Amino acid sequence: MHTKVFRITDPLVAVTELREAAAVLRKGGLVVFPTETVYGLGGNGLSADAAERIYAAKGRPSNNPLIIHVHHPAEADKYAHTGELYRRLAAAFMPGPLTVVLPKRDLVPYATTGGLDTVAVRCPDHPIAQALLKECDFPVAAPSANLSGKPSPTVAEHVIADLSGRVDVIIDGGESDIGLESTIVKLDRDQNGEYLTLLRPGAITTDALTCVCERVVIAPAVLEQLKDGERPLSPGMMYKHYAPTIPLVLLDGTPEDVLAFLQKEQAEKSCAILCYLEEIPHLKAQNLFPVGEKNDLTTQAHCLFSLLREADKTGSSVMYAHLPPPDGLGLALYNRMIRAAAHTIQKV
Ligand code: TXA
Ligand code: MG
């Protein structure tokens, strides 16, 4: 398949390209588009055929459900059973990096939801995603636009490397701002009332969610490795994710101990290191990938996936990174990094 690449900087002047992309989606084709979190691999969310094509292009198991993207948060009512808590979340965080899992309506095919009776809805806050969705009179189902098992793409070059020849159109809209996928919550209820289950942490932090709903329960798969045979609430948590080919080891220790360990390792073997900016003067420059300052989690989130791809090209025998603190935005980094490292944490 020939893949067209549209480079768009201003969606207001790229009306022709965006109409063409929407027409491709309407006919059942696949369009990769930028969002503020990561790039998405889009297809018509109401078409089982389009869902099958998405799974095939990504090489992803078809029991791993897709998120549907809408132009306006109120559109969720057409595809899902919403309610007061959904509206409060939408008012606080949409458009933005939040995905809400709701009971689905019949018109959303089971192919899109991986056989589940729920559907995940997100309204992205990116001018190109917004302009594309506005041209579509259907929701756009879109997983991250990487081959299954690779880090999510945050620039069009990653998408082209993974999906060229497997999709109809790639819209290059520059770098994704946030760099990690959206926060996913499920709305739940028990005898004490409504609460949120956090299925995947992201830029909308647990503290921010707590401002809208007092009770936020973190799903076990967010922080820990599930035991054999245990099923996660979010099927995506089952799979090894974002895996570099070089084994990634996360280092847990005081800043001094981690630095001393890295210096010793650099002297003994070829290693790629995702380090803090402050550590650069104390380490050999070769195969060093600075993720940002120690306390700048926003920059670390923005750079992580890109640097994992870069570090993976070094051919080193091992890759090291710091274990992030599992709170605030650090929880999202922690969640992605323990998966990329297949839960390999070394105490130093
Ligand atoms: O930021 C994002 O969310 C990006 C951009 C493109 O919007 N999309 C994204 O999609 O990360 P994906 O497919 O790579 O990850 C979606 C996750 C998967 O882990 C999937 O299992 C989970 O959402 N998910 C989707 N629908 C669900 C549902 N009904 N119930 C529970 N989990 C669901
Ligand atoms: Mg993904």
Side-chain angles (χ1 to χ4, degrees):
M1 173 193 300
H2 171 70
T3 302
K4 273 193 185 176
V5 179
F6 296 153
R7 281 181 221 289
I8 298 182
T9 42
D10 183 350
L12 292 176
V13 297
V15 179
T16 321
E17 286 90 341
L18 288 168
R19 291 223 168 112
E20 184 177 334
V24 168
L25 288 169
R26 196 169 297 113
K27 281 191 225 134
L30 302 182
V31 173
V32 174
F33 60 97
T35 85
E36 77 278 28
T37 56
V38 299
Y39 275 72
L41 164 50
N44 183 341
L46 301 182
S47 156
D49 283 352
E52 293 309 331
R53 257 179 234 136
I54 292 174
Y55 292 125
K58 250 183 98 75
R60 169 173 181 160
S62 58
N63 63 351
N64 191 0
L66 306 172
I67 295 174
I68 61 167
H69 296 68
V70 293
H71 173 244
H72 190 279
E75 277 181 68
D77 289 305
K78 291 195 246 170
Y79 312 115
H81 300 279
T82 65
E84 215 262 316
L85 180 52
Y86 170 79
R87 278 185 282 283
R88 289 210 316 266
L89 287 168
F93 305 118
M94 290 185 191
L98 179 70
T99 297
V100 182
V101 174
L102 298 159
K104 82 172 190 72
R105 290 192 190 271
D106 289 343
L107 82 167
V108 181
Y110 281 109
T112 302
T113 67
L116 298 178
D117 289 319
T118 52
V119 61
V121 183
R122 160 158 144 75
C123 177
D125 183 21
H126 185 290
I128 296 175
Q130 274 284 324
L132 177 67
L133 292 168
K134 199 170 175 202
E135 290 293 329
C136 299
D137 46 7
F138 47 84
V140 175
S144 49
N146 51 287
L147 283 176
S148 200
K150 290 275 196 98
S152 293
T154 54
V155 293
E157 287 71 28
H158 300 161
V159 179
I160 292 167
D162 279 11
L163 296 178
S164 195
R166 303 171 76 95
V167 297
D168 299 283
V169 174
I170 295 174
I171 302 177
D172 176 353
E175 268 184 57
S176 292
D177 188 24
I178 294 172
L180 298 180
E181 309 86 342
S182 61
T183 301
I184 306 182
V185 291
K186 187 165 177 289
L187 308 196
D188 280 316
R189 171 181 286 282
D190 62 11
Q191 68 279 11
N192 299 320
E194 281 186 306
Y195 64 98
L196 298 177
T197 306
L198 179 72
L199 301 181
R200 181 175 73 183
I204 306 293
T205 60
T206 314
D207 282 351
L209 291 167
T210 311
C211 296
V212 175
C213 180
E214 256 172 54
R215 252 196 314 157
V216 180
V217 177
I218 299 181
V222 167
L223 285 163
E224 287 148 33
Q225 189 164 21
L226 292 175
K227 294 177 195 76
D228 275 353
E230 216 175 333
R231 285 191 67 80
L233 295 168
S234 175
M237 292 290 179
M238 213 155 34
Y239 303 102
K240 186 177 169 194
H241 249 176
Y242 325 115
T245 29
I246 302 176
L248 170 65
V249 177
L250 302 178
L251 302 175
D252 184 13
T254 65
E256 298 74 30
D257 288 345
V258 171
L259 187 59
F261 175 86
L262 290 173
Q263 286 168 331
K264 189 170 131 289
E265 287 297 288
Q266 274 196 322
E268 286 170 8
K269 59 169 91 114
S270 81
C271 44
I273 300 173
L274 272 57
C275 69
Y276 297 137
L277 281 173
E278 295 89 329
E279 294 170 318
I280 294 177
H282 309 290
L283 291 167
K284 280 195 241 163
Q286 204 193 1
N287 296 339
L288 217 48
F289 299 88
V291 292
E293 285 174 10
K294 181 172 186 294
N295 293 322
D296 184 359
L297 297 175
T298 305
T299 302
Q300 291 170 34
H302 177 80
C303 296
L304 176 69
F305 288 151
S306 198
L307 293 181
L308 281 179
R309 283 185 186 247
E310 286 307 310
D312 209 18
K313 291 179 194 156
T314 59
S316 309
S317 53
V318 60
M319 200 189 294
Y320 290 116
H322 292 270
L323 183 70
D327 45 44
L329 183 57
L331 182 63
L333 277 163
Y334 182 95
N335 169 268
R336 305 312 189 275
M337 290 177 81
I338 54 173
R339 282 186 167 63
H343 298 269
T344 316
I345 299 172
Q346 185 168 341
K347 288 216 184 293
V348 294

